[in-house]
Amino acid sequence: MPAYIVMGAQWGDEGKGKIVDVLAEKMDFVVRFQGGANAGHTVIHGDKKYVTHLIPSGVISGRSINIIGNGCVVNPTTLHEEMEALKSQGVVFSPDKFIISPSAHMVLPIHQYLDKALNEKIGTTVRGIGPAYTDKVQRTGIRWESACDGSFEERYREHLDFIEKVYAIVDEDEMNSLRSGISDLVAAVNRLAPFVRDARPLLAEAAKNGSKILYEGAQGTFLDIDHGTYPFVTSSSTSIGGAYTGSGVFLDFNKRIAIIKSYTTRVGEGPFPTELFDSNGDKLRKNGNEFGSTTGRPRRCGWLDLALLKESCMINGFNYIVFSKISCLSGFETLQVAIDYNSDGSPVYKEFPGWEKETEGTTNYDELPENCRKYIEFVEDYLGVPIGIVSTGPDRDNVIERIPIFA
Ligand code: IMP
């Protein structure tokens, strides 16, 4: 059964978007199973540039059914804005091709406020993601089913009363402003109500009849609420387990695709053993244009960490790697790769000779410099998972396909 899952193997921003787009075009179903509008992803089709945050990439080609699963958290206002922006570029949304799970939770303005007020030490995207998941687990959240049964406004009013009781940090002015915004929010929820429907039976049937299904992961494995570098994580299950709880359907994914950036980056706070604070770090940031697509923040940059990636492979059972941004590694005299950690947590490095030749746009593996090929092959051997695609630039055609992705 041709079911694919694409996940970030590091701390997000590995370059999932490009591969997801190539795959999404050919799919019957594209599913988001976790996270919210904290992800950011730019899709280039011909001369058009589309930006998505939560909407699955399949909407752009218009071929597939696109599902926002129950594991996601969905902000009515920003989702509506995202849809409108895509509509203005010709993307069509119809309830038979775009579905929001009734069990997905809402991200409300109060969640954004609390994220800003409470989560500074984590360096979140301030999209309200953590507080929305907190409400979900606390069983005080509002699910999208309330858009369909007419109970949203009443639930939201009750929720604000609850918040006022529990959080001293939310002052009277803020409460007044939240209450006065209710009618706009109700309007956004009502506009999205036609898209709310249980997609699980549809997906289960599709899995049985051999439809092509793509699960599109957001963020990365080490931002996972359980398996990541807690507490410096996001609030959802970004690894493979999240695909099951976040969509409600069992799929035997025959391609479990890791997107691995050929060096490491991270946004926000938290441990990062191979982080660089010297000119090599600046060079990676410059070569890779490492600035957040959702927040614009400069990303922290460092060497590739294979010890970490070994764990990522264990967690997710990857069987295909896309090795991205190799063209950003030209021009280093030497490169370091972490292969283990010392007892104090510092990395044990293996040094590789660098290469000068620019590789952007290369499509033939043999045209890569020998030292570059040695670097790639070491990664493959160390992880024991084949590198099927080496990505050599931002364009869709900038790939070396060593193992066909659609096989
Ligand atoms: P939150 O998801 O906004 O709660 O942020 C929690 C942590 O995850 C912060 O360190 C964010 O920078 C990080 N994060 C969230 N979304 C992304 C992403 O799409 N790429 C990289 N890091 C992310």
Side-chain angles (χ1 to χ4, degrees):
M1 195 247 319
Y4 300 75
I5 182 163
V6 172
M7 282 171 289
Q10 294 150 309
W11 278 292
D13 308 312
E14 296 89 351
K16 294 178 284 296
K18 183 169 125 172
I19 299 304
V20 161
D21 301 336
V22 170
L23 289 169
E25 251 185 12
K26 300 237 172 14
M27 294 293 136
D28 302 308
F29 287 81
V30 184
V31 181
R32 274 283 309 263
F33 54 89
Q34 47 74 222
N38 45 348
H41 159 180
T42 303
V43 184
I44 315 262
H45 268 231
D47 56 356
K48 278 196 181 157
K49 186 168 148 184
Y50 304 85
V51 178
T52 61
H53 294 287
L54 178 57
I55 294 175
S57 303
V59 295
I60 292 163
S61 74
R63 184 183 184 280
S64 52
I65 295 177
N66 292 274
I67 299 169
I68 296 183
N70 56 277
C72 296
V73 286
V74 185
N75 180 321
T77 312
T78 59
L79 179 64
H80 188 252
E81 283 165 8
E82 193 177 328
M83 283 172 82
E84 288 302 307
L86 291 169
K87 272 160 78 180
S88 73
Q89 293 182 285
V91 174
V92 176
F93 286 90
S94 66
D96 57 331
K97 290 228 161 144
F98 178 60
I99 303 171
I100 305 166
S101 165
S103 308
H105 277 249
M106 290 190 187
V107 181
L108 300 162
I110 184 62
H111 295 134
Q112 289 163 286
Y113 178 84
L114 292 174
D115 204 0
K116 214 177 281 172
L118 302 174
N119 290 328
E120 197 177 348
K121 83 166 189 193
I122 292 169
T124 71
T125 59
V126 207
R127 299 291 190 274
I129 306 298
Y133 279 112
T134 301
D135 259 330
K136 170 178 177 172
V137 176
Q138 195 170 242
R139 291 155 297 179
T140 49
I142 303 181
R143 308 206 300 180
W144 273 87
E145 61 206 2
S146 65
C148 302
D149 63 16
S151 65
F152 171 70
E153 185 169 345
E154 188 190 335
R155 281 172 194 265
Y156 184 45
R157 286 182 189 282
E158 281 171 11
H159 187 256
L160 288 180
D161 293 343
F162 165 80
I163 291 285
E164 196 169 24
K165 263 193 239 141
V166 175
Y167 290 97
I169 201 167
V170 190
D171 63 24
E172 205 182 320
D173 286 351
E174 185 59 30
M175 285 313 302
N176 288 340
S177 132
L178 288 165
R179 288 197 171 100
S180 67
I182 287 178
S183 57
D184 287 347
L185 198 59
V186 170
V189 168
N190 287 343
R191 278 193 290 261
L192 292 165
F195 300 100
V196 180
R197 157 162 82 104
D198 184 4
R200 290 172 305 168
L202 209 62
L203 256 184
E205 183 52 35
K208 256 196 239 149
N209 71 23
S211 298
K212 294 196 275 305
I213 304 172
L214 170 66
Y215 274 45
E216 180 181 350
Q219 289 86 41
T221 298
F222 293 102
L223 289 174
D224 186 285
I225 182 75
D226 288 281
H227 305 294
T229 45
Y230 191 89
F232 302 100
V233 292
T234 190
S235 300
S236 63
S237 300
T238 58
S239 51
I240 198 159
Y244 297 106
T245 52
S247 69
V249 174
F250 174 77
L251 286 179
D252 190 5
F253 296 106
N254 61 337
K255 273 224 169 69
R256 300 178 295 278
I257 303 172
I259 313 292
I260 296 179
K261 183 148 41 182
S262 49
Y263 49 99
T264 313
T265 61
R266 158 158 223 178
V267 232
E269 301 305 315
F272 182 173
T274 61
E275 182 167 12
L276 290 166
F277 300 96
D278 59 7
S279 57
N280 283 326
D282 294 339
K283 188 162 169 172
L284 286 172
R285 192 171 303 106
K286 181 167 169 280
N287 290 1
N289 190 25
E290 296 294 354
F291 297 90
S293 56
T294 295
T295 59
R297 288 182 287 178
R299 295 179 184 140
R300 300 159 64 192
C301 295
W303 299 123
L304 188 66
D305 188 341
L306 287 182
L308 194 81
L309 283 163
K310 193 97 181 167
E311 193 177 323
S312 193
C313 291
M314 175 189 80
I315 295 167
N316 295 300
F318 292 128
N319 58 9
Y320 187 105
I321 292 172
V322 174
F323 201 49
S324 70
K325 297 189 101 164
I326 195 75
S327 52
C328 303
L329 291 187
S330 296
F332 286 88
E333 201 174 312
T334 54
L335 298 159
Q336 311 291 330
V337 173
I339 49 167
D340 203 352
Y341 301 120
N342 294 304
S343 55
D344 66 355
S346 62
V348 176
Y349 283 117
K350 180 175 165 60
E351 186 171 286
F352 287 79
W355 55 92
E356 278 305 317
K357 188 179 161 191
E358 294 291 333
T359 59
E360 183 156 334
T362 308
T363 53
N364 181 346
Y365 188 66
D366 295 331
E367 280 173 18
L368 290 177
E370 190 187 355
N371 285 348
C372 178
R373 280 184 276 130
K374 280 191 181 150
Y375 183 86
I376 293 169
E377 285 156 29
F378 181 81
V379 171
E380 188 170 58
D381 286 350
Y382 184 99
L383 296 177
V385 181
I387 295 184
I389 285 182
V390 180
S391 172
T392 57
D395 280 6
R396 288 161 69 103
D397 304 335
N398 299 160
V399 287
I400 298 168
E401 195 173 23
R402 298 169 83 213
I403 303 166
I405 196 157
F406 286 109

